[in-house]
Amino acid sequence: MAKPTSTIHKHVQTDEELQKQSLDQLSAELADNREALKKTLDIIKELHESGLLEAAESLLKAKGSISRVLIGQATRKPVTNTINNLMGAAGVLAELDPAVTKKLLNSVTSGLAAAEERLESDKKVSILELVKVMNDPDVNRALGFGISFLKGLGQGLNSE
């Protein structure tokens, strides 16, 4: 008759067995991802040959001093003012109707083209020409727009 089992012997892997198991697993993963690894190595080779890999390594090594410089520059008053102005401008732009903005920008482009033509002619404007041009519907529309703009601007300046 057999003896009853009173103890269980657990097999503990040695360091060599663990290392061999890890290498076998890594070999299997390398074989499964051969194409991806080859492309990755090609990319790294190109980065090395172009000098970008060394530049990235230098940046990583100097990350502490670079971050101090960046934070120092970002907290300067002109930079914070710029950021605040951009945020304010973005808020104003968000309130504007895109169709109106597009129409206004197209009008500005047309006006600049006409103004450039006028500059090339180097012709003086007479008082009589100013009076005549007031009857031109395009000029009258632009003057009305300008006057309304100035009125709204003044109201906005008064309310703040």
Side-chain angles (χ1 to χ4, degrees), residues 17-92:
E17 289 174 329
L18 287 172
Q19 191 174 22
K20 184 179 180 331
Q21 184 181 6
S22 292
L23 285 173
D24 290 343
Q25 185 179 4
L26 184 59
S27 292
E29 288 178 18
L30 287 171
D32 290 344
N33 296 299
R34 182 177 180 266
E35 286 300 314
L37 287 168
K38 186 175 179 332
K39 286 181 182 179
T40 302
L41 289 173
D42 289 342
I43 290 170
I44 291 172
K45 181 181 175 187
E46 288 293 325
L47 289 171
H48 175 69
E49 289 174 358
S50 67
L52 289 174
L53 196 58
E54 288 80 10
E57 180 184 21
S58 297
L59 280 173
L60 287 173
K61 286 180 180 176
K63 65 184 172 216
S65 58
I66 290 173
S67 62
R68 279 191 297 279
V69 169
L70 287 175
I71 289 171
Q73 291 298 315
T75 56
R76 288 180 31 237
K77 186 143 179 88
V79 175
T80 56
N81 283 347
T82 301
I83 292 169
N84 290 335
N85 287 335
L86 287 173
M87 289 173 55
V92 168

